[in-house]
Amino acid sequence: MQLTPGVLDCTTARRADVGRLRPAGSSPTAYLRVALRAGNGATHIYRVKSCTSRKHAAEERLAGALFALTGLRTPPVRLADHCSQWVDGTQIPDKVYLASEWVESFEDLGHWLTGPHARAAIVRAFPDASENYDTLCAIALAAEHHMQQCCGGRPFWQLAGDAAARHRAAHARRFAALEALNRLLPVAYRNEQERHYLASLWIGNWDPLNCHMENFGYCADATGAPRGMTLDFGAALQMGFQGQLKEDNFEVVVSQRAQLRSLAPIEQHFARADAAFGPSLPSGPLAGPGVLPYGRQLETCVERLRAVDPDRDVATLADSGSALSISVEMAYRLQRISDSAIAAVVADCRADPAPDDTLAWRREDEVAALMIARREDCVRRLGHGWVKRWATLHAARARAIALRQDRLLEDAMRCPS
């Protein structure tokens, strides 16, 4: 992903009809798809998000740009202004938003699992699973319809009383059915979820899935094959929830879900010591429920990773789809990201709007050094010393990853600062 300098001027923007418009996120930030006419007459569609501040928008852009260096998919993101009337109904022309390119083929995991592509993949791999799939799909769709009725056009976080209670029960039914559907997927699809989760650990993304399974999904690559894609990095790097920095956010983490009447509470395993965004990953297993806030939501995405024992499972390294092989593959991807590429991306994203709040944001050089240190820690803990062995066993895949990554890294080095 080549970073585009400057702020996108949305003065001539118009609302874009892209279909499948659904509420996004579990916070009151707003999303909008905007069509812009470029000088050559082509139409570009963006998904525009309101952020807490200009600095939060720039930091989220940085998180997405760093994530993209792994070679995994995430939409290109720009900062945007002159679009407040479309996003939140205000008239503040110089307010900065986050605009990500609209990917027509993308479908978030929660909806993809109940669609034709998931059914085809599951039934093709497991013909006897068709009846089970159809039953679970019907439960998930009925629960989603009930949730929509409870909301009546309002965001779910605004519900109270009986409407909140009914939404909570319907959401629990839907999520349980989606988890069961996710477990039916062939291993190649689950591998994509595992790769994106491990990349999210590097950038400290606290919300890689979300309570509606909407921050991760699948899109089609150039050949039409499904590939994982991650959206929304609003809780990555230093950023926590509700506009706070991670180091000041632990109380919000443990209280916000409990205070939300429209979603069932989640048993919290996250420790205060792991809240700060530092040079190393949280101690302990990297795929347990305590690694991230609300880690229980990620159970079906990471359960194979959680079961990995490097010494016991070393023979599975030759299987490209084994959980151990995916872990070492991600170490290979991260190891290939140079210090200079990280520094160039940080410099570019930090060159856009200056801080407009009083939060204790780290300096540019501190961020680059921290991300380099986290990369080294990820390589050590995910690779188990077997990166070269993996690259030899899977030489064709290693070359394909390197080819895609090299283009991204070259683009990063050309970033204007």
Side-chain angles (χ1 to χ4, degrees):
M1 177 179 69
Q2 185 167 2
L3 289 168
T4 305
V7 177
L8 187 68
D9 185 347
C10 297
T11 302
T12 61
R14 295 293 181 269
R15 195 182 300 273
D17 180 12
V18 296
R20 305 198 315 272
L21 281 167
R22 300 187 178 105
S26 54
S27 66
T29 54
Y31 290 80
L32 182 72
R33 284 83 172 191
V34 180
L36 301 173
R37 296 213 169 266
N40 59 5
T43 297
H44 298 270
I45 300 178
Y46 294 85
R47 177 173 173 262
V48 181
K49 173 185 177 182
S50 177
C51 298
T52 303
S53 71
R54 293 166 62 94
K55 183 59 181 173
H56 283 83
E59 203 73 353
E60 185 166 345
R61 176 176 178 248
L62 170 59
L66 289 168
F67 184 94
L69 294 180
T70 65
L72 300 180
R73 285 166 172 78
T74 185
V77 173
R78 299 183 63 179
L79 301 179
D81 61 11
H82 291 86
C83 50
S84 62
Q85 73 276 22
W86 297 111
V87 181
D88 46 29
T90 61
Q91 295 293 329
I92 311 174
D94 60 350
K95 183 176 180 180
V96 172
Y97 296 83
L98 202 67
S100 57
E101 289 189 14
W102 171 248
V103 179
E104 175 62 30
S105 65
F106 175 81
E107 185 84 355
D108 68 75
L109 181 61
H111 291 97
W112 187 89
L113 284 169
T114 57
H117 296 296
R119 190 185 194 282
I122 290 169
V123 173
R124 184 167 55 248
F126 314 110
D128 293 340
S130 60
E131 185 175 352
N132 188 24
Y133 173 87
D134 291 340
T135 299
L136 291 168
C137 185
I139 293 171
L141 290 172
E144 182 182 15
H145 179 67
H146 193 181
M147 290 163 59
Q148 292 169 345
Q149 288 182 318
C150 293
C151 288
R154 294 169 293 173
F156 71 88
W157 60 81
Q158 292 181 359
L159 299 180
D162 181 62
R166 289 185 291 111
H167 185 280
R168 180 171 63 246
H171 177 271
R173 292 195 302 274
R174 178 179 186 257
F175 201 88
L178 292 177
E179 287 191 309
L181 288 170
N182 205 30
R183 287 191 168 104
L184 292 178
L185 286 178
V187 68
Y189 293 85
R190 301 191 75 180
N191 287 163
E192 286 291 273
Q193 298 175 27
E194 292 160 352
R195 291 183 183 102
H196 280 249
Y197 167 78
L198 294 173
S200 290
L201 292 184
W202 178 46
I203 63 168
N205 184 7
W206 275 5
D207 201 15
L209 186 63
N210 193 269
C211 62
H212 297 306
M213 295 191 179
E214 64 195 1
N215 288 351
F216 171 87
Y218 295 97
C219 64
D221 68 9
T223 68
R227 293 288 183 265
M229 175 173 279
T230 293
L231 309 177
D232 197 337
F233 298 98
L237 303 179
Q238 270 190 276
M239 297 178 293
F241 297 116
Q242 297 185 17
Q244 294 183 2
L245 300 186
K246 282 184 168 69
E247 50 262 41
D248 304 319
N249 206 217
F250 184 75
E251 281 71 24
V252 170
V253 167
V254 299
S255 66
Q256 69 174 0
R257 183 68 179 255
Q259 295 170 355
L260 193 61
R261 301 306 180 193
S262 54
L263 295 179
I266 291 182
E267 184 179 359
Q268 188 62 263
H269 299 271
F270 191 61
R272 183 184 295 272
D274 294 327
F277 183 63
S280 58
L281 301 181
S283 59
L286 294 183
V291 177
L292 300 174
Y294 320 119
R296 172 63 186 81
Q297 292 178 159
L298 291 156
E299 177 66 24
T300 60
C301 299
V302 305
E303 59 193 359
R304 289 177 5 108
L305 293 170
R306 190 168 63 176
V308 167
D309 180 327
D311 296 324
R312 180 198 66 201
D313 300 336
V314 62
T316 69
L317 193 64
D319 176 1
S320 63
S322 73
L324 177 60
S325 186
I326 295 301
S327 178
V328 180
E329 176 193 313
M330 288 310 302
Y332 171 78
R333 290 173 179 266
L334 288 163
Q335 185 174 274
R336 299 190 74 258
I337 302 173
S338 66
D339 295 4
S340 54
I342 291 172
V345 169
V346 172
D348 175 78
C349 293
R350 284 299 188 92
D352 277 316
D356 56 343
D357 55 41
T358 58
L359 298 178
W361 297 100
R362 290 188 174 96
R363 299 190 315 269
E364 177 184 313
D365 60 324
E366 293 175 323
V367 174
L370 185 148
M371 293 309 300
I372 290 167
R374 283 182 74 92
R375 180 204 59 202
E376 293 302 302
D377 192 47
C378 283
V379 170
R380 178 180 62 84
R381 296 182 64 183
L382 300 180
H384 307 290
W386 293 334
V387 173
K388 288 184 178 179
R389 184 174 178 181
W390 178 90
T392 299
L393 288 168
H394 306 284
R397 175 151 186 82
R399 285 194 299 270
I401 289 171
L403 182 63
R404 174 174 169 80
Q405 239 185 330
D406 284 346
R407 291 195 297 266
L408 296 165
L409 294 169
E410 288 170 8
D411 286 345
M413 295 303 296
R414 289 196 293 267
C415 286
S417 57

